Amino acid sequence: GLGIMTAATLLGLMAGRGFGLRDRMATQVERSRLNLLATPSLLKMILGITLSVELVVAAVLSARFALGWHMEWPMAVWHGLFQAVSAFNNAGFSTFSDSLMGFQNDWLILVPIAVAVIISGLGFPVMEDWRGHGLRWRKWTLHSKVTLAGTVLLLVFGFVATLAMEWSNPDTLGPMPIASKMLNAGFHSVMPRTAGFNSLDMGAYREETLVLNYLLMFVGGGSAGTAGGIKITTFLVLVMIVLAEVLSRRDAAMFGRRFGHAIERQALTVASIALMLVLGSTMFITSVTAHPLQDVLFETISAFATVGLSTGITADLPPSALLVLAFLMFVGRVGTITAATALALGGSDKPYRYPEENPIVG
């Protein structure tokens, strides 16, 4: 967890060194305090936030396990600490065989875990902004604004959609009281963002809910954090490019700032590579198994985004399919970071340009 977070953050900062002097001067306002000269301070912040969040969440969970579920204190502390560390690092591993399905009506278990996932999923550049500027929104960088806005948007969308589609499902939210329905719908709008815990049976989801989870898992969380996926910023940059084209605007922009063409191309490249990996892996696994396409697609997206959720088919897959999933997990965890950094630090442009000619599109 600490290694991935530190490497992701530093690689993200190093990417700024790949631009020329003019580009560096133009982006200096956006980078503000977040620069390589502040690396020791940044590493201390990463360590401090990680330990603080994990210890607070572990204390809450341990107390709940001991006082609410009548566990012996040593066992309660063990379970609490494990879930807290797993949640903050977006690992999704649980010490309980059914993940958190046994606690689906306990908000003192589900809410702290969800909070830890959300905080770590924002990424440390956002935390650095919060530490340096507090709630003064106008002083935040464009990256932080886009990440926070995208996080809120996806959380609300995931909550409302899950609640609506699973409301009457007898195998998930159907039998629950209204309060528990809202709690679990909210929890499951957070978990596909690469966290991996589940309080509902994923195999009992309706097909439309699985499709919703495809999107949430593929997008993932914020950059330079513990989340996987193509990242919120990548997704929103692509959305704004499409919107700008539809509205015949020259530039794609958010919060009074336009995106550079280099960032637009990086976002398109990262998303395209991710899509090709997921589709190629899905085709292969479908060819060697008899499982339904929607379950296989869920499995491959979950693997690429390092989510850890499953509809229950993993144990039935042949070794070749498991190797493909393992490959997707590795590439999905380190591939998007290294690809984005390599693109930013790539070689200089050729000293010439070809004549322009446009093919017919659409």
Side-chain angles (χ1 to χ4, degrees), residues 7-149:
T9 302
L10 294 182
L11 284 174
L13 298 180
M14 288 175 60
R17 299 171 62 185
F19 299 108
L21 177 60
R22 181 181 301 176
D23 294 320
R24 287 195 219 175
M25 293 175 64
T27 59
Q28 188 62 41
V29 175
E30 277 301 320
R31 296 189 181 280
S32 62
R33 291 163 52 90
L34 201 59
N35 56 70
L36 286 172
L37 297 178
T39 297
S41 174
L42 187 64
L43 297 180
K44 290 179 182 178
M45 182 197 71
I46 292 175
L47 181 61
I49 292 177
T50 299
L51 294 180
S52 299
V53 174
E54 290 178 354
L55 288 176
V56 169
V57 173
V60 174
L61 294 178
S62 299
R64 183 58 178 170
F65 287 140
L67 302 177
W69 292 88
H70 309 295
M71 293 183 186
E72 296 293 332
W73 272 103
M75 186 59 67
V77 171
W78 160 245
H79 285 301
L81 184 60
F82 192 100
Q83 317 308 311
V85 174
S86 182
F88 188 81
N89 289 290
N90 277 219
F93 291 121
S94 175
T95 50
F96 304 104
S97 60
D98 60 353
S99 191
L100 299 177
M101 291 178 63
F103 308 100
Q104 58 186 201
N105 295 312
D106 194 336
W107 68 272
L108 283 174
I109 299 294
L110 300 188
V111 171
I113 290 177
V115 169
V117 170
I118 292 172
I119 292 175
S120 63
L122 289 174
F124 286 95
V126 177
M127 299 179 196
E128 169 72 1
D129 251 354
W130 178 81
R131 185 182 70 164
H133 304 298
L135 299 178
R136 290 174 291 178
W137 177 258
R138 291 188 177 185
K139 290 185 175 292
W140 284 32
T141 63
L142 178 61
H143 168 82
S144 297
K145 292 178 181 179
V146 171
T147 301
L148 193 58

Side-chain angles (χ1 to χ4, degrees), residues 300-324:
T300 54
I301 297 177
S302 179
F304 170 78
T306 62
V307 180
L309 292 174
S310 173
T311 57
I313 69 171
T314 311
D316 298 328
L317 296 176
S320 58
L322 293 178
L323 286 174
V324 169

Side-chain angles (χ1 to χ4, degrees), residues 107-262:
W107 68 272
L108 283 174
I109 299 294
L110 300 188
V111 171
I113 290 177
V115 169
V117 170
I118 292 172
I119 292 175
S120 63
L122 289 174
F124 286 95
V126 177
M127 299 179 196
E128 169 72 1
D129 251 354
W130 178 81
R131 185 182 70 164
H133 304 298
L135 299 178
R136 290 174 291 178
W137 177 258
R138 291 188 177 185
K139 290 185 175 292
W140 284 32
T141 63
L142 178 61
H143 168 82
S144 297
K145 292 178 181 179
V146 171
T147 301
L148 193 58
T151 297
V152 173
L153 177 65
L154 290 176
L155 288 177
V156 172
F157 173 69
F159 166 70
V160 173
T162 301
L163 192 65
M165 292 185 288
E166 294 295 316
W167 182 273
S168 59
N169 188 341
D171 298 318
T172 55
L173 297 182
M176 296 181 180
I178 294 179
S180 293
K181 287 182 179 182
M182 298 185 69
L183 171 63
N184 284 272
F187 187 76
H188 274 270
S189 73
V190 177
M191 293 306 113
R193 312 286 307 291
T194 81
F197 291 101
N198 65 286
S199 62
L200 300 174
D201 182 3
M202 305 299 296
Y205 267 2
R206 289 172 172 164
E207 290 186 1
E208 56 268 31
T209 313
L210 289 178
V211 174
L212 166 68
N213 280 263
Y214 296 162
L215 172 64
L216 296 178
M217 292 190 300
F218 189 73
V219 173
S223 301
T226 59
I230 63 171
K231 304 300 188 295
I232 292 172
T233 44
T234 303
F235 174 70
L236 285 184
V237 167
L238 294 177
V239 169
M240 298 312 296
I241 291 173
V242 173
L243 185 60
E245 191 66 26
V246 170
L247 298 177
S248 299
R249 294 175 179 171
R250 178 182 299 179
D251 301 310
M254 289 184 71
F255 301 108
R257 294 288 188 275
R258 63 181 174 85
F259 301 129
H261 293 304

